[in-house]
Amino acid sequence: MSTKRCMNGGCGAAAAGGVWRKGWLLRSGGFATLCDKCGLAYEKLSFCESFHQKESGWRECAFCGKRLHCGCIASKSIVGLLDCGGVQCLTCLKNYGNSSIPGESVPDLLPQSSQKVLALSARCSTDEKMNEFDASPANGSSELQITSSVRIITDDATTKCNLMQLGRNIDVNGYSTILLSQRENTNGSFSHVKQEEVALYRGDRGDLGRSGCSGKGQGLLGLSQDPHGSDSKDALKDYLSNPLANASLSMSLGSPNTVNILEACSNTGTRQIALSHHGIIDDGRDQNKVLTTFQNAHRARHVLPKLPKASHGVTLDASKELVPQMRVARPPAEGRGRNQLLPRYWPRITDQELQQISGDSNSTIVPLFEKVLSASDAGRIGRLVLPKACAEAYFPPISQPEGIPLKIQDAKGKEWHFQFRFWPNNNSRMYVLEGVTPCIQSLQLQAGDTVTFSRIDPEGKLVMGFRKATNTAPLQEAQISALATGVLGSETFYSGVNVNLLTDKHGSWANEGLLQPLLTPEKRRSRNIGSKSKRLLMDNDDAMELKLSWEEAQDLLRPPPMVQPSIVIIEDQEFEEYEEPPVLGKRTFFTARASGGQDQWIQCDDCCKWRRIPVDFLPPSKWTCTENTWDSKRSSCAVPDELTSREVQDLLRQHAELKRQRISSSKQSPSEAESTGIDALATAVALGEVGNQASPSAAATTRHPRHRPGCTCIVCIQPPSGKGPKHSPACTCNVCMTVKRRFKTLMMRKKKRQSEREEAEVSKKLSWGSREELEGTSGSMNAREGDLMETLEISKGHIDLNSQPQRDAEQRASGAPSSPQMSMMSLLQVASLPLDNYLKQNRLVSLTASEQQQVSSSSATVPQAPVESESGGDDDRCGSDKIRSDAAI
DNA sequence: ATATTGCATGATTGG
DNA sequence: CAATCATGCAATATA
């Protein structure tokens, strides 16, 4: 064995003694080896190890077909063995997770009653691969290549494995179909045969043996991994003699995808194996032709197996048993071009659907593809855009843009007549189904729903299925939303959809699938369905709610406890840098005293009593009365609550009310909401009410975890509201000067409020440009307004390219269509006087306040502002005459 | 005035 | 970066 070197992260460490430490057991039944130096998983192997030692060839990713050489494993191109065999490249791991192969489900046992042999099959993605593969020895392949369908019955497991080996080598045309019919042996005798059959899918060349071939009735161990077929027994022997191998077998049992086949193999002494294969490349656009037996065999290869009626799995938990098995069928590799379909179009189908479709007939259901309806698909135009690859692969060939009429059947047997046509588009074609409106309306489909196209063989009849996107359960909505952002895997998505297939012969399609339970998280597999998700946005209310919740969470960000930050300087700004992520602090509420001061209230985690704490205190995530060092009389949970229950209720009610107001105000048009906020604030300023607002009032600005004590950025110097300022009117400290500047701006804005609102309306109609453009123009404005703009523009994603700097500075502050929350925040910051707490600490420890942000909301952006906040402010340190005015606020 | 049709455009994504 | 595809929109047809 040659020395292995860790390629993980360039570690390069050689394995001690050339043997890598085996440490991680994989669901796939293999091991992950760890680099002794870097400790990272280097190679995942079990069978693979043998494979690599004995064969210098390559394997392909079971998902995308990407060829993976041995070296790829070392370079992490291969990231795992699949439960059902095969390997998986890094890209597909990200896309689909490390689970079973979509569309290539690990074989399951069929219901005993089923006499049908369902076949799964893989396809080679390219002829190139095939050619390369053909370069390797192919034992016995010639015998099979000349036979379109071969059925071999054997009672000998080893023979079966050899057959699998043969099967592995017969992929000469890009496809193979391997049927393994299993007859369960209930008493261990080879002679007793049950009627159960199992269809085995060979997910990858050489993997069939791993996933489905049993060693002398013992289990499925990758005997056929050896491409030469000579070491199968030895490999098995080695494997079985390896305690870790057995351990990994146990782990494989934990996989719902492997358990059945394990059962099938390990409990069975007798098996019936049917190998069918065709050696003809189905490359013509002959969909309308009469299907030959050969084609039927071919087209049946990806039909999905049904689940056993009784679970054979010993480790399938209850939740999984509740979950209809959603299968992802890799669509048949037929048709013109044989392009691989994007996974988003791979049809997904449940066992229920399969059962529905197949019914009692001998028809074979061939899921072709599916598509999530876009808005235009489901709209009134009546045109359903078909994925090009799908249209060209599975629909009849058309040479003229006018296309051909196409009949597609639905559940009730109703036949819909569409026009299948294309438009020339960028030297390509854009395929559409026209006239789908009646069908869409009949099925009450809308954007986000999924239509599935299948074919019934041997008739070759096209059928439509659909899944309704759910819109009921919040969780499902979240899933949809997540789908829209591409966060969740599609299985999660589908767990929340109703599954119907229109070809239900029982005529009960209408509401089936409604009770489809959620799939377990581990069954999630990312998929790009809905990746064009911009058009599947969540409801505005939900989005706002989510936004606010997120902002609230941001408000509570605290530096990690017990972690000393390191100070870094970036562009002359000092930042605290923490090794640990910030933590969420505890929610507090602020009230205003009649005298003008403020109180911060916190609830004890133990007794739930409310305690008064300093307004500048940043509570950690947990706080109890014993930590109430400010009020020794109430430092025990035994001491009664200072607030009456009614006061507490009022506090919470006001909090809820403010949140509602935020949501409702956010629903207004930006300019309107902005104007409203400006109006209110300007009025408050004029009346001298700002800073003495009714509780809860103060802003809950939270110092960014990276800010160091003493940071003078605009965020950190924002004082929590409280009693009147204790600054001297002549104070020229940075805070006072900043406040003074902003107050001046505010007053100026108030005077111009009406005219600016009009301008804002005009401005709103203009185009918005990049922030860079704005920054380019901001240099012409004076320092004060530039400073204000810097603050305000932080949250602005849209800048008016046509703006005049001087005017825009005020517009933005007053009501231009920017983020209303941010502008409000800025204005409230202006009004956030007095500065007692700031002065008290003389450093910027905390800006904790709460309910002001309940109004202004955009706290999440504020803490990030300091970097660019105060650059223009230092030139204005005089003007202490304004401080008195500040104090009046 | 409204609906339909054919094409163009641009966002998105995969290679 | 090129292919794909969702959608916009102008031209045309129809009510």
Side-chain angles (χ1 to χ4, degrees), chain A residues 721-734:
Chain A
S721 297
K723 218 170 180 177
K726 296 174 182 175
H727 289 255
S728 161
C731 177
T732 58
C733 76
N734 193 33

Side-chain angles (χ1 to χ4, degrees), chain A residues 727-854:
Chain A
H727 289 255
S728 161
C731 177
T732 58
C733 76
N734 193 33
V735 174
C736 288
M737 299 314 298
T738 301
V739 170
K740 182 202 66 175
R741 289 196 305 270
R742 297 186 175 176
F743 178 76
K744 182 178 179 180
T745 303
L746 183 66
M747 296 305 292
M748 188 169 56
R749 186 164 52 245
K750 177 176 178 291
K751 295 176 181 177
K752 298 181 178 180
R753 175 168 53 89
Q754 189 58 43
S755 60
E756 288 172 351
R757 289 178 61 183
E758 296 171 358
E759 292 174 352
E761 289 301 315
V762 174
S763 174
K764 189 175 62 177
K765 298 174 182 177
L766 301 176
S767 61
W768 295 89
S770 65
R771 176 177 174 171
E772 288 73 16
E773 293 283 347
L774 173 68
E775 289 171 343
T777 61
S778 62
S780 62
M781 67 187 71
N782 63 46
R784 293 180 181 178
E785 292 183 345
D787 180 54
L788 178 60
M789 273 200 58
E790 281 183 312
T791 303
L792 295 178
E793 74 181 26
I794 289 164
S795 67
K796 292 170 70 74
H798 308 288
I799 307 299
D800 189 349
L801 289 173
N802 301 319
S803 65
Q804 301 174 21
Q806 178 69 28
R807 174 182 300 178
D808 287 353
E810 297 171 0
Q811 282 187 354
R812 290 186 193 92
S814 64
S818 63
S819 165
Q821 293 82 9
M822 187 57 200
S823 294
M824 278 294 294
M825 186 64 209
S826 304
L827 296 172
L828 288 170
Q829 286 171 353
V830 171
S832 291
L833 293 177
L835 309 173
D836 53 343
N837 293 298
Y838 171 79
L839 293 177
K840 184 166 60 182
Q841 293 198 352
N842 197 25
R843 68 181 68 192
L844 308 154
V845 175
S846 162
L847 299 176
T848 303
S850 60
E851 298 312 323
Q852 180 175 349
Q853 279 207 338
Q854 298 300 318

Side-chain angles (χ1 to χ4, degrees), chain A residues 135-153:
Chain A
S136 63
N139 294 345
S141 61
S142 59
E143 298 175 22
L144 294 169
Q145 286 171 356
I146 60 173
T147 309
S148 63
S149 180
V150 179
R151 187 174 179 86
I152 303 172
I153 299 177

Side-chain angles (χ1 to χ4, degrees), chain A residues 373-374 376-386 395 406 408 416-420 432-445 451 453 464:
Chain A
L373 292 180
S374 69
S376 53
D377 290 334
R380 294 172 50 194
I381 296 180
R383 299 190 295 206
L384 171 60
V385 176
L386 294 169
F395 281 12
L406 202 61
I408 302 181
W416 297 96
H417 294 256
F418 305 129
Q419 184 75 15
F420 173 57
V432 292
L433 269 186
E434 292 184 337
V436 299
T437 297
C439 179
I440 295 293
Q441 291 179 343
S442 171
L443 304 176
Q444 296 182 319
L445 297 179
V451 292
F453 293 90
M464 282 179 66

Side-chain angles (χ1 to χ4, degrees), chain A residues 102-104 302 304 327-332 345-349 367-368:
Chain A
E104 300 173 356
H302 71 292
L304 302 171
R327 310 308 179 88
V328 186
R330 181 180 287 193
Y345 301 126
W346 290 359
R348 307 199 133 206
I349 196 165
L368 299 175

